[in-house]
Structure formats: structure tokens, C-alpha cells
Amino acid sequence: MLSSTDFASASWELVVRVDHPNEEEQKDVTLRVAGDLHVGGLMLKLVEQINISQDWSDFALWWEQKHCWLLKTHWTLDKYGVQADAKLLFTPQHKMLRLRLPNVKTVRLRVSFSAVVFKAVSDICKILNIRRSEELSLLKPSGDYFKKKKKKDKTNKEPIIEDILNLEGSPTTSGPPVSPGLYSRTMTPTYDPINGTPASSTMTWFSDSPLTEQNCSILAFSQPPQSPEALADMYQPRSLVDKTKLNAGWLDSSRSLMEQGIQEDEQLLLRFKYYTFFDLNPKYDAVRINQLYEQARWAILLEEIDCTEEEMMIFAALQYHISKLSLSAETQDFTHESEVDEVEAALSNLEVTLEGGKMDNTLEDITDIPQLADNLKLFRPKKLILKAFKQYWFIFKDTSIAYFKNKELEQGEPVEKLNLRGCEVVPDVNVAGRKFGIKLLIPVADGMNEVYLRCDHENQYAQWMAACILASKGKTMADSSYQPEVLNILSFLRMKNRNSASQVASNIETMDINPECFVSPRCAKKHKSKQLAARILEAHQNVAQMPLVEAKLRFIQAWQSLPEFGLTYYLVRFKGSKKDDILGVSYNRLIRIDATTGIPITTWRFTNMKQWNVNWEIRQVAIEFDQNVSIAFTCLSADCKIVHEYIGGYIFLSTRSKDQNETLDEDLFHKLTGGQD
């Protein structure tokens, strides 16, 4: 028989605070436990002692001092290290969270606070009907984000509140947010190709998604343009250092919301984090395309990405067109069904894939890598020398350009051969001024070699520009993406082409929306309202016939073709350097940028990367590349884990393939982004 003293030494009292769902205050419950009691048994004891009949299945134990969940219910208290001084909280794993979407709508929904953020985002995207959740993540906004500029605010109203779309009444109130249910292509929302509205018969891919048709259209339609005053009040980065603040708050994908100090009903931003949009399909991606368009739109309006005034007018014209079509589409009644025979569509798709384009010399195409040869002008910037372009005979083969004094000398030694693999390609174009230039920043041992090429006309520019873009990624013109790239560049140039249409003058009077809504506040200050309206309508002539979805996709494409697209900036200090630099992280490379001038100094490509890791003690990211090149830096504008996760995340996304369908290797993601060797 055990004496009472033995009993006392083997067991001890543990106080657990309980979050009662129906009561305001938390209550403390004292239990007598032993170290060999497992967590599941502790929860059972706790529920018995509380003695309230309800569904406790979503509740779990949170250890406040250690800042962790006790989710392994088969582990004993000894194994977890729980002792009498532990402060445990018995609380629901799913709590309400407010998410600000790219279209500035706020949705309120129940999210898992115990699952890692990667999984929580996946569940959120299922609820919101967004495919490819791995491209998105949650961002904790900096203090500047919701802060108004210090002005004499006549009416100190917060415009956010009435914009909340409440999905609280969804079936996900307890238990896992979405039942695993297999993803079925026939359950996918389809688009009406003319007006861009989701067809009602196949509104949601998950039968238990709480999105009704009305909610789905709120997320799939673009919002009316903001007033110029509201735009001026929003946070706009003025420098590269300001832009580094935008990316400081990304949450760690490998830890839960609770572990990162996120409170119930807190507001976070749901954003596309990685700029590689895989398999963007108008047929299945109503909400995704619209949210992507909205994120691009705000990036342009708030000057988070730079563009020329000419490009700003194209973006404005597309926004004007999209807002007009969205308004007219919303007023129509979409009760008609646009049924699509899925099998027929898949078969015709397969037919096109198998036939390919009509090729005459198929064998030749496989064995011969195409090349370009033409007269172009070249200029190398040197100090104290004016810009003088000189004509040479150029040959583009594989991934390099060779140039000769003239065509007759092409069999001999070139003046110079430029290897474009890993270079930066920047458009230097002014369509109105008939200037078609390509700026190449070619990596060399001590930095970047700057070369300017000048083409004579659009077609020549599109061919050479597309070849340069592919070569920078290590691809040749034999790659299947070469022709689409040429066509994409040409279509963007044509949108820039000005129409001397007489309609414009009469249309200014009928332009029903304020032109300042479609351009950045800085651009709006430069021009009078009528001038802006005229230029927007002029650019609108080129896009006026586009259907809604195509216009959104064209906007996204135009955004993707901007030189700065896909670059996320961080303020860093490189090992051995005495000053701070900017690190630009892109889907395929890292760029070291001078913080004061904004000029790229060196580029390192992920394809040349051998390994990367973090020294957690000194918070330093170290990366090794081929040819014994290694770099190390500490991050000043964010936690080093965020930068490390960006690099690993992009490498993870590059492993995706069409035949994977919708399944993702989550373990591989955490392995690449975790920061452990």
C-alpha cells in the first residue's frame, strides 16, 4: 500500500485556465496530476471536472511560458517538461481572424491558430476559392500601413469597418476548417468568358465552402475605384529603403499563428507573396485572377513598383475599362447557366497539345537552335562621355550576343562576346518617341557591366528583347516560351501606341469616373484633370474591345513586364561591408543594390546556388554558389528567417509541375525554408 506521503510526492497540483466559449471570463481549474499522465488523459480529466456537455473536440492545451501548443496527445507531461509552475490554457484551436484581401475587402473567418501558417493559408484559400495557396501568405502590416497621414482630418472615419465580409456562419465553426474532400475539376467554378462572372452551377469547388454566390462575386469582381483623397491617405513608399518596410511583417510559415503572438480577431493581410503564378487559368481562377489584378493595381497606384508615365496611362486605361465592365456586369442578372462540357474541353485541349503548331521542318526545329542576326546600335556608358550609339552587326546565338564591325567580318573574331546568362534585362522604351532600347546589366567579377542596345522598330525590339529575357534565364530561342514572349512584348507595345482618335475629345465629357482614381497621386499632381482624362481615353482606344477577364490578365501581364516586377526588398549588411545595402529577392535570383543610388551591383542566380543556411546565433544568412563564390549578410529590416524563407520558397515553387495536380510536398517546403542544415 502507498502511504499518503508517497502519493503526494508522485503527483502534484496543476492549474489550467479554461476558455469557456459561452462565458466572458476565463476560469481556473485545479487538477491533481502525475508526470506519467499523457496530454490526452489530462484533457479528459479537465473536461470531466468542468462538467459542461458540449463539443470539446477543437480544444487543445497552450503553454504560455514556452509559447507552444501541446498537440502530441500521446506525450506525457514529463516528456513535454510540464511541471507545477506551468501556465496552461485550454482553448479552441480555431479562432476568428480578420483578413484584408488584395482588393481591400476584409473577410472575417475562423482560422486554425494551432496549425503552421503554411497549412492555415491553405485552409483559408479553400474557403475563399483561391487555387495555388502556396503562392500566398499572411503579412502583419507595419504601423504605417493603416496610419493616416497627419492632416487636419475633418471627419475622422475609418473606412475599413463597413467593408467586412463575415464568413463566421460557415460550417467551419468547429473541427477542421475544411473537410479534406478530393479536389474535383468538375466542381471548379467556371468563368463566363464574355463578362467574367463565375457560372452559378459550379460556383465552388468544395461543397462545404461557406462562400455563397453573392460572396464569391464580391471576391471575383474588382472593387469600384477609390477616391483620389483616399488614395493620397494610403501609405506610399518614397524610396527603396521605404519599400523594405513593406516586406518586414511576413509570418513564419513553419510556426502557428498563436506562436507568433497573433491575437484573436486581429487584422492581417492575405497577399500573394511569391511572384510565380503557376497555371493561371481563367476557367478555374475567378477569385485568384481578380485578387491578383487588385494586388497589381494597388502596387501601381501606391508606387510600390516603378513604371514610366506612358506605362501608367496603359494601366489607367485598363483599370478604367475593367471598372466600366465590372459595373455593367454587376447590374445584369446572371441567372443563365453557362454549362461547359468538361470532357469535351479536355479532349480539345489535348488535341491542340498533341498537334502543336503546324511545323514544316520538325526535325530541323529540334536540332537547330534559332539565331538572330541584324544591325543594331550599341553604347557603353563611360564617365564624361555623352551618349553616342554606334552601329554594329550583331549575332544572337544560344545565350550570348557577339558583335562585329560589319556583316562581312562575321566569320572572324567578334569585337566582343556578351554572355547573357544571369544578366538583368531592362526595357528602355518610349513608343511615342520611337525609341526601342534594351539595357543589359551583365554580371562580372567586380560588379555589373552595363550595355545599351538600340533597335530600329517594334518587331526587331520584340525579337531581341524576348531572346535576351530567355538567355538571362539560361534558355535559348528554341524554348517553347520564345514566340509567346515575342507576342506578349508586341501586344504591350501596341497598347502603348497612341491613337489619334477623334472620339477622345467627345468622350472626355462622358467619362463618368474621376481620372485621378486610376493613376498614382504623384502622377495626378503633375497633370490637369482634363489632360489626364484625354490621355487615359487615348490609351483606352487600344483596349476598348477586350472582355473583362482578358483585360485583367493583360493588366497582370503588363505588371509582370515591368523591370522591377517580382523584386522584394530587404535592408541588409553584407559581411565585410561598412555600409548597408538593399537585397532584392526574385523568383530566380538575388540582387545586391546600392541603397543610395538604387543601382544593381551584383546578381547571383539560384541555379548556381550550392547551399544556404542560417547562423541563428548571429542571425546571419550564408549562401554558397558555384566557382567558390560565397556571401553572408545580416538582415536589418526584418528577421533573417523571412529572407531565408523567401529563397527556399522560390526554390520550392520551381519544383512544381503540371502532373502534380493539386497536391504539394509540404515536408519539402519546410525542409527548404526551415533554415536547418
Side-chain angles (χ1 to χ4, degrees), residues 438-579:
I438 302 169
K439 179 178 165 186
L440 299 171
L441 296 162
I442 301 162
V444 286
D446 55 346
M448 300 292 258
N449 200 343
E450 206 170 323
V451 178
Y452 286 81
L453 303 181
R454 182 66 64 83
C455 302
D456 295 329
H457 50 79
E458 283 110 324
N459 288 346
Q460 188 187 47
Y461 168 79
Q463 289 176 332
W464 285 80
M465 184 67 178
C468 289
I469 290 169
L470 260 67
S472 75
K473 299 173 185 173
K475 295 177 182 176
T476 69
M477 284 177 278
D479 193 87
S480 61
S481 61
Y482 175 66
Q483 280 308 326
E485 188 68 53
V486 173
L487 294 171
N488 200 7
I489 293 166
L490 278 172
S491 70
F492 193 40
L493 290 176
R494 283 185 192 128
M495 283 201 286
K496 289 184 178 185
N497 245 329
R498 292 201 171 185
N499 275 346
S500 53
S502 53
Q503 288 175 299
V504 171
S506 62
N507 283 3
I508 293 175
E509 303 307 320
T510 60
M511 190 172 182
D512 43 354
I513 302 169
N514 196 338
E516 284 88 351
C517 303
F518 303 113
V519 295
S520 69
R522 192 163 44 163
C523 181
K525 277 178 195 163
K526 280 190 194 171
H527 304 282
K528 290 187 175 136
S529 191
K530 273 200 168 178
Q531 278 178 319
L532 263 183
R535 287 186 66 182
I536 292 171
L537 286 169
E538 213 171 331
H540 182 246
Q541 304 296 313
N542 293 318
V543 299
Q545 302 311 312
M546 275 185 200
L548 182 57
V549 186
E550 194 189 323
K552 284 181 187 175
L553 287 169
R554 191 53 63 89
F555 191 101
I556 294 164
Q557 276 177 349
W559 175 48
Q560 287 173 304
S561 68
L562 294 176
E564 273 188 31
F565 169 77
L567 278 173
T568 307
Y569 300 104
Y570 290 98
L571 192 65
V572 298
R573 172 73 63 92
F574 277 90
K575 191 178 177 180
S577 173
K578 288 193 169 69
K579 65 185 189 67

